[in-house]
Amino acid sequence: MREMSQEIKDEYEKIKDKISYEEFLNKMEEYKKENADVSFIDDISFAHMVVGDYINEKNEAIEEKKEFWKIKDLETGTQHINLLGIIMSISNVKKFTSKKGKEGKLANMILADDTGRIRVVLWTENIKLLDKFQEGDVVKINDVEVKQGFREDETHMNIRSSMEKLESKDYPDFPAYNDKITPINEIKGDMEVNVVARIIRIPRIRSFDRNGREGKVASLEVQDKSGSMQFTLWNKDTNLIDDLDLSEGDSIKILGAQSRVRNGEVSLSHSWIGRIVKGDFDVPEYQENVLKLGDAHEIRNVTLVGLVSKVYDTITFERDDGSTGKVKSMELEDDTGAIRLTLWNEDTDVDIKKGDILKINGGNIEFDDYSGTNYRVNTNWNSKLIINPPIDQKLKDVLSEVGKYIKPVKITDLSNIEDDGEEVDIIGRVVNLYEPNEFQRDDGTTGLVRTAEIADETGMVRVSMWDSKAEYPMKEGDALKIENARTRLGDYQVDLSVGRTSRIMKPSEEETEKLPSLQEVESMIYQDKKINDLSEGDRDVSIIGRILSMGEPTQFTKSDGSSGIVRSMELADDTGVVRASLWDDQADAPLKEGEAVKIENPRVNLRNNRIEISVGRTTIITKHEEDESSLPTLDKIQEKLYPSKKIEDIEEGDQNIKVTGEVIDIRGNKILFEMCPNCNKRVNWVDDAYICDICGEEIEKPNMLMIIGLMVEDDTGTISITFFRKSAEEILGMTTPEAEEIIAATGDEGSLEEKVGDLVGRQLTVIADASFDEYNEEVRLNAKKMVDVKI
């Protein structure tokens, strides 16, 4: 036999002489199937229904048989009883979801007789009965059950319950229903009133913390002939706005509203037994008074309409109680003036964009000497923000004219700005992006700045982003919209500064529709040049070349005392070769000989009558895809750039020539020379110390420079070749520090003479430049790169 709860067994006991226990359970299951969609009926209710069948069939009641019960006589647990009374209130129908996920409905009635009042709960299947009844009707309600409620005893209808209307004149002892409509201006605190009014504002539903649970509130503003007042809906009652399809301008009857006084103002709240009836009631049409922004003064509960001309980022702050708050500012304009708007907390999340038309219902204007517009409008928990509201065409045209200037400027038009600090908006694509740098402010705090170059189809601008704006996530190629950037006028160009009052955001698809791709932007901004076409002072050029040689990074001291790093590189294409200096972070670029690279925006300088390029912070150097490159191979470039020459054919000024010959002698036995670490010039040993004649300082520890001089001959003649630094280390097969250690260990500078002497008899192939040695009156070679050494 199936086991059930003791409560259900107790129900069976009432009819055990009429039906077996198994049949009792089967009938319960039949009722469950019939009422599968009714969410409020539980097992004990189904048991009650089965018991009710047998009591009614036999007309035998276990309880005392009465036609109807007086309210004062009701007791918890009494079942299958009838009530008689007058309806004092009917609540709005409310929706709910059961624990099993089923949706249902319920409504409350307050029924009164000459002995008291009681709540009557109507469930999903009973709701249809309400269409035939209203407050003030005398009714008989059949088949209800008395249960213990949250506050006191209450009665519940079930699927078999019914209602019938009776003649009220036959029950003169019942209390009278008060259907009086109270004018709003007569409402005082602690009253239960009925009001007929027109809705003039429905604010956004707001959330709040209710003892760890989320609460909801919406305060409507309603108005009749006598005045206006707030009418507040709490928690689930806020759903009535949607359920009843309430809108501004609707006329409604509010039944059973509760009044209260707060901060000296009287307001209404919807009660759990109250009802809102939407209909065509006799109340004045609402005449909206929109205040022009130029007429702003200290006033509460005002309506404003304006064009959003500026939007600032949301600021998060900590309150005195440790909780977190948010504030966001923007500016509105119309044809008469402008005003600062301050949004708080949830309102900061409303998606309001520059150029939107914004309507504010229920704002409070106060004087603000720091706003820039003298006044500020604050929103509050009862304000309503309407973005791009329906407005008449005349006002729309006026605001469109006001907002003609509120649009991003083309980057090329920035050059027409003549004043520092002008606020502008731009939309562009990140072309070059540099790492953030920390700096020290005058007050001792640390700041952060990041530089980017942003371009549209008309040009490129340099943008400095400060502090939190420097942390905005972006990468090269990203499309950005920057609002409220400030202009900074330089000697030759306009830069932009993006600080606290600026905004960085992702533009819309419409705004980026005509924005060129990164590749298109680069092709427009940078002029592609061959190496031989470079000229001193070239700007915004792009070159592609193959790395012929890479020097080692060298540290140096800058004029401000800080340390720097520089690294030399030779770059070549099919037209020529150029020396490139890579500075600081660029010196650490993972590059190697033979790679093809693209260099964008280098500085092009003239040094010793030769073009050189400088790769610094504002230069972009990237590896170039070989399959896209038209560069010749490294061997072919070397073959073209390094023409072979016999010694007798070498002339003063020859560059990058390839010379092959046999070492026949060495020039001097000193190979390490002391150099000043500051200016990189030779230092002299004077009075037991190294002195730099250029810097005029004593040098504690000089840098060491390896120099090896050799005499080489071929079948046409002889010539001197000098090897410096890396080329000297290559030919000797030893690094400079290793040479220093040997000399330090032996105490003899000539201790390496034998190793240098081993070079005699070897055949060398080198790349070198030729110059005239005035002291010896001869042409000499300065080796640049070792090609081959043979014994």
Side-chain angles (χ1 to χ4, degrees), residues 431-432 434 453 460 521-544 571 578 597-605 611-615 618-621:
V431 180
N432 297 323
Y434 307 100
E453 286 169 332
M460 185 168 70
V521 168
E522 289 178 335
S523 66
M524 289 186 295
I525 293 172
Y526 296 121
Q527 178 187 2
D528 292 334
K529 278 199 169 187
K530 294 290 188 179
I531 288 175
N532 270 4
D533 296 331
L534 293 174
S535 301
E536 181 183 10
D538 273 347
R539 292 175 56 86
D540 299 334
V541 297
S542 173
I543 59 174
I544 297 173
L571 194 71
V578 67
V597 295
K598 182 177 184 180
I599 300 179
E600 296 171 317
N601 196 34
R603 291 184 178 273
V604 183
N605 307 310
I611 289 293
E612 295 184 354
I613 62 173
S614 181
V615 178
T618 61
T619 306
I620 301 297
I621 180 167

Side-chain angles (χ1 to χ4, degrees), residues 10-122:
D10 291 342
E11 288 298 310
Y12 172 68
E13 287 293 320
K14 299 175 183 178
I15 56 172
K16 67 180 181 179
D17 58 335
K18 301 179 174 57
I19 188 174
S20 71
Y21 187 50
E22 189 68 19
E23 289 174 320
F24 176 77
L25 296 179
N26 288 337
K27 283 186 174 290
M28 280 184 59
E29 290 298 322
E30 290 175 6
Y31 273 122
K32 283 185 182 181
K33 292 178 181 178
E34 291 174 9
N35 299 278
D37 295 331
V38 182
S39 60
F40 62 85
I41 303 180
D42 54 15
D43 283 347
I44 188 62
S45 297
F46 288 123
H48 291 167
M49 292 167 66
V50 176
V51 172
D53 286 343
Y54 284 89
I55 291 176
N56 291 338
E57 286 175 5
K58 301 297 182 180
N59 199 24
E60 297 174 1
I62 297 176
E63 302 287 352
E64 178 186 354
K65 179 70 178 70
K66 294 183 180 180
E67 183 181 359
F68 61 85
W69 287 61
K70 289 291 185 179
I71 292 175
K72 70 177 180 62
D73 297 330
L74 297 177
E75 296 178 357
T76 301
T78 310
Q79 304 168 25
H80 308 298
I81 65 172
N82 302 329
L83 296 177
L84 181 65
I86 182 171
I87 300 174
M88 303 302 289
S89 67
I90 303 175
S91 76
N92 287 107
V93 177
K94 302 174 185 180
K95 298 177 181 178
F96 68 90
T97 302
S98 70
K99 293 180 180 179
K100 295 182 179 180
K102 292 184 178 181
E103 294 184 353
K105 298 178 182 179
L106 68 85
N108 298 306
M109 289 194 314
I110 298 299
L111 193 73
D113 64 10
D114 53 343
T115 67
R117 295 184 174 208
I118 197 164
R119 176 188 182 190
V120 181
V121 181
L122 294 83

Side-chain angles (χ1 to χ4, degrees), residues 287-503:
Q287 298 296 322
E288 187 173 54
N289 181 25
V290 178
L291 183 70
K292 284 290 188 179
L293 301 185
D295 297 330
H297 57 283
E298 291 180 284
I299 185 174
R300 296 178 61 81
N301 197 23
V302 69
T303 298
L304 302 172
V305 176
L307 187 85
V308 180
S309 58
K310 291 181 184 177
V311 179
Y312 302 100
D313 280 336
T314 300
I315 297 173
T316 301
F317 61 91
E318 187 172 321
R319 300 186 181 94
D320 293 339
D321 62 0
S323 62
T324 298
K326 295 189 293 184
V327 63
K328 183 177 186 177
S329 294
M330 55 189 65
E331 288 187 12
L332 301 182
E333 291 188 26
D334 65 9
D335 55 325
T336 66
I339 195 168
R340 176 68 63 89
L341 167 65
T342 304
L343 307 179
W344 298 91
N345 302 317
E346 288 183 350
D347 281 342
T348 62
D349 298 326
V350 179
D351 184 20
I352 303 173
K353 299 181 289 295
K354 184 181 286 193
D356 283 341
I357 294 174
L358 183 64
K359 182 177 183 180
I360 306 166
N361 287 335
N364 298 327
I365 298 178
E366 61 185 43
F367 183 77
D368 185 354
D369 205 18
Y370 299 98
S371 70
T373 60
N374 294 328
Y375 289 97
R376 177 180 68 184
V377 56
N378 282 318
T379 57
N380 56 69
W381 67 282
N382 195 36
S383 300
K384 183 173 184 179
L385 304 174
I386 308 172
I387 303 170
N388 297 318
I391 56 177
D392 65 75
Q393 190 60 45
K394 182 179 178 181
L395 179 56
K396 186 177 291 186
D397 293 341
V398 167
L399 294 177
S400 295
E401 185 66 24
V402 168
K404 284 175 65 174
Y405 76 96
I406 303 175
K407 60 181 180 180
V409 301
K410 293 299 181 184
I411 289 175
T412 189
D413 293 334
L414 294 174
S415 59
N416 299 327
I417 296 176
E418 298 179 353
D419 296 321
D420 257 338
E422 288 287 315
E423 285 194 350
V424 296
D425 303 346
I426 64 166
I427 295 175
R429 200 172 294 281
V430 180
V431 180
N432 297 323
L433 183 64
Y434 307 100
E435 290 301 313
N437 289 320
E438 289 187 347
F439 63 93
Q440 201 81 9
R441 296 189 181 93
D442 293 339
D443 62 1
T445 59
T446 299
L448 191 68
V449 63
R450 190 177 198 185
T451 302
E453 286 169 332
I454 297 176
D456 61 12
E457 69 274 15
T458 69
M460 185 168 70
V461 65
R462 185 180 179 85
V463 178
S464 298
M465 296 166 287
W466 303 89
D467 298 321
S468 63
K469 302 301 187 294
E471 297 174 331
Y472 185 90
M474 68 180 74
K475 62 182 183 298
E476 290 174 3
D478 282 352
L480 294 182
K481 182 176 184 179
I482 301 178
E483 291 183 353
N484 314 324
R486 292 191 178 272
T487 57
R488 297 172 61 185
L489 304 186
D491 294 334
Y492 304 104
Q493 63 186 20
V494 176
D495 294 341
L496 294 179
S497 179
V498 177
R500 182 176 57 85
T501 60
S502 304
R503 301 181 77 209

Side-chain angles (χ1 to χ4, degrees), residues 234-245:
W234 297 93
N235 303 315
K236 290 184 178 181
D237 285 339
T238 58
N239 296 331
L240 293 174
I241 296 173
D242 288 334
D243 293 345
L244 299 177
D245 192 24

Side-chain angles (χ1 to χ4, degrees), residues 181 195-198 223-226 250-253 279-285:
I181 302 299
V195 173
V196 172
R198 191 173 299 279
Q223 178 179 283
D224 66 7
K225 295 177 182 179
S226 68
D250 286 344
S251 57
I252 57 173
K253 180 187 287 187
D280 185 14
F281 300 105
D282 183 20
V283 286
E285 294 293 331

